[in-house]
Amino acid sequence: MEIRRAIPKTGESGKTSRWQRQWRVYKQHRALIAMLLPGLALFLLFSYVPLYGIIIAFKHFQITEGILGSPWAGWENFERLFKGNGFVNALRHSVLIAFLKMVFVFPAPIVLALLLNEIRLTWFRRTIQTVTYLPHFFSWVVLAGILFPFLGSDGGFNKLLSFFGISEQLWLLEPDYFYGTIVLTDIWQSAGWGSIVYFAVLASIDPSLYEAAIADGASRWRRIWHISLPSLAPTVIIMYLLSIGHFLSVGFDQIYNLMTPPTSGVGEILDTYVLRRLLTMDYELGTAAGLFNSTIGLTLVLVANALVKLYDKEKGLW
């Protein structure tokens, strides 16, 4: 009888061989992995380690006892949060500002990129790009220092309006103008920088498509509608899904620096509400409000991604 040597089956040694193959791949790309580690460490340190503090939202936090030593409060902090008038007003203002920014601020970079793409003079296009990019590189502390004198009673904007016979206004001190000021200044600060990714997509479009459209007699508007916008659609969807997660985070730096005592009644948002709770050492309420904000953002991302997947399975985030 012939005796054959036993050969291990794939199932018996599959795990070991898979691990060995993966280890060889990691070893081949160890330089890239080494470059990834610092960024991954920072991401873990500032994005995952702080999740430990969420426990405060469910406790009667006492500094002397620490987070784990403080007694449990269950849902009491959330009940106190939702019953407070300050939170309801802050939530209302956050939703309103977020809606205005989604309608006016989000499309602004797209419109700017389309306009820049239609400019044929290279030097003029680059000049406009530089001018519109510039505000992005300044913090809102610096921009507020520019806007307060410019929009003040004796500022340049009021002098320009008076030249056309329009009465002067205190734009940053009037509650009626606060939301409009927030939207316009956000467009001024972010539209140029946000247009980079859209302009890059437009620059990658095959010129022969536009040449064929011109040969067929398509107007400039038709070329934008049937070539430029469809090419931008996948990128717009991705950027929308990335921004919808921060729907209620409507720009703490901007609003905190532009808000004045007369406009605080309409400018209080969730982020400023959390800050004021922390300043009064009400850590439980501030953490509960922050957790509520994050939960709403996660829910919106999941819902928006699901809706996009219904439209096109290949255009979602996952």
Side-chain angles (χ1 to χ4, degrees):
M1 183 186 306
E2 182 181 0
I3 301 176
R4 296 182 179 179
R5 186 177 178 182
I7 300 176
K9 297 181 180 180
T10 304
E12 296 175 358
S13 60
K15 294 183 179 179
T16 304
S17 60
R18 264 200 309 271
W19 168 253
Q20 290 176 346
R21 287 196 299 269
Q22 291 176 356
W23 175 251
R24 283 196 295 268
V25 172
Y26 294 149
K27 191 174 180 179
Q28 291 174 358
H29 299 87
R30 57 184 178 273
L32 296 177
I33 295 175
M35 295 173 61
L36 175 66
L37 289 178
L40 182 61
L42 289 176
F43 185 76
L44 293 174
L45 180 62
F46 292 103
S47 298
Y48 281 90
V49 173
L51 292 177
Y52 167 71
I54 291 177
I55 304 175
I56 297 177
F58 303 93
K59 289 205 169 190
H60 294 296
F61 180 66
Q62 299 174 4
I63 297 180
T64 56
E65 299 294 334
I67 296 178
L68 295 180
S70 300
W72 286 97
W75 297 98
E76 181 179 338
N77 293 323
F78 290 93
E79 294 177 1
R80 188 160 58 95
L81 177 70
F82 296 139
K83 290 180 181 179
N85 292 328
F87 173 78
V88 175
N89 291 331
L91 179 61
R92 184 185 302 114
H93 300 156
S94 296
V95 172
L96 179 57
I97 295 174
F99 176 77
L100 291 174
K101 287 192 173 185
M102 191 61 66
V103 172
F104 297 104
V105 178
F106 180 79
I110 304 173
V111 175
L112 179 60
L114 290 171
L115 294 176
L116 290 175
N117 190 55
E118 296 300 318
I119 297 177
R120 294 294 172 257
L121 296 176
T122 304
W123 66 268
F124 184 68
R125 182 175 66 244
R126 290 179 178 177
T127 302
I128 297 299
Q129 287 177 320
T130 302
V131 172
T132 55
Y133 294 167
L134 191 61
H136 171 79
F137 297 99
F138 295 94
S139 68
W140 275 107
V141 177
V142 176
L143 295 179
I146 297 174
L147 290 171
F148 270 100
F150 181 71
L151 298 177
S153 58
D154 297 327
F157 188 64
N158 274 324
K159 290 182 179 180
L160 180 63
L161 293 179
S162 62
F163 179 78
F164 293 98
I166 302 175
S167 60
E168 298 179 356
Q169 301 290 340
L170 299 176
W171 300 100
L172 292 175
L173 298 177
E174 292 290 340
D176 293 339
Y177 303 129
F178 182 75
Y179 292 149
T181 304
I182 291 297
V183 170
L184 291 176
T185 54
D186 196 8
I187 293 175
W188 169 60
Q189 192 266 349
S190 63
W193 183 258
S195 66
I196 293 177
V197 62
Y198 300 114
F199 187 73
V201 174
L202 292 173
S204 65
I205 298 176
D206 188 355
S208 62
L209 296 176
Y210 292 105
E211 295 172 358
I214 294 174
D216 290 339
S219 62
R220 178 169 296 183
W221 170 249
R222 287 292 182 182
R223 296 197 297 270
I224 293 175
W225 184 259
H226 293 288
I227 299 176
S228 300
L229 286 177
S231 300
L232 285 175
T235 305
V236 171
I237 291 173
I238 295 298
M239 298 301 293
Y240 174 78
L241 291 176
L242 293 175
S243 64
I244 196 68
H246 305 281
F247 181 75
L248 294 180
S249 299
V250 291
F252 168 80
D253 293 343
Q254 178 194 15
I255 293 178
Y256 186 76
N257 285 284
L258 295 182
M259 188 168 53
T260 58
T263 59
S264 60
V266 297
E268 181 82 353
I269 59 174
L270 287 179
D271 291 337
T272 58
Y273 175 82
V274 171
L275 175 63
R276 299 187 193 285
R277 299 289 75 75
L278 296 179
L279 292 177
T280 58
M281 300 186 69
D282 194 349
Y283 301 113
E284 308 99 309
L285 210 62
T287 306
L291 180 58
F292 172 81
N293 190 356
S294 301
T295 304
I296 294 297
L298 175 61
T299 303
L300 289 176
V301 170
L302 295 176
V303 172
N305 188 74
L307 293 177
V308 170
K309 297 286 281 186
L310 289 177
Y311 172 74
D312 190 337
K313 293 183 179 181
E314 297 181 356
K315 291 184 179 180
L317 285 177
W318 61 84

